[in-house]
Amino acid sequence: THQQMNQLNHPAISLYDNAMLIIAMESFASLAAVAGEAAIAVKWKAAASAQRSATIQHMWDRSRRKFRNHIYVVGAPASF
């Protein structure tokens, strides 16, 4: 049920989701450029760049020298 899903769900910011979002933004910018919509292309390229910077800033774990897979918004799930 929906209530059970909410109890089992652990909202998180995902490295993979951010990477896919950046790729989508860059692809849309390329399509806009090909379609002759330069202003739209510039807007989405800038948005992709900002998203990339934010992703690196928040997902990079300096102490481990690698990216975190997830940042849990409210409590991490128990280990398996």
Side-chain angles (χ1 to χ4, degrees):
T1 68
H2 181 68
Q3 188 175 22
Q4 289 171 322
M5 288 292 289
N6 284 341
Q7 291 171 350
L8 297 173
N9 191 19
H10 298 280
I13 299 165
S14 165
L15 178 63
Y16 176 81
D17 290 346
N18 275 277
M20 293 296 102
L21 176 60
I22 293 163
I23 290 169
M25 289 174 166
E26 289 174 340
S27 296
F28 189 74
S30 294
L31 287 171
V34 169
E37 298 289 345
I40 293 172
V42 167
K43 174 185 171 180
W44 284 99
K45 193 149 189 88
S49 179
Q51 186 68 32
R52 176 182 288 104
S53 294
T55 300
I56 291 169
Q57 177 185 353
H58 295 288
M59 302 300 286
W60 180 252
D61 185 338
R62 285 189 179 135
S63 65
R64 293 183 177 171
R65 300 179 50 84
K66 64 179 185 176
F67 284 99
R68 298 173 181 92
N69 289 326
H70 300 93
I71 296 174
Y72 291 96
V73 178
V74 180
S79 297
F80 292 101

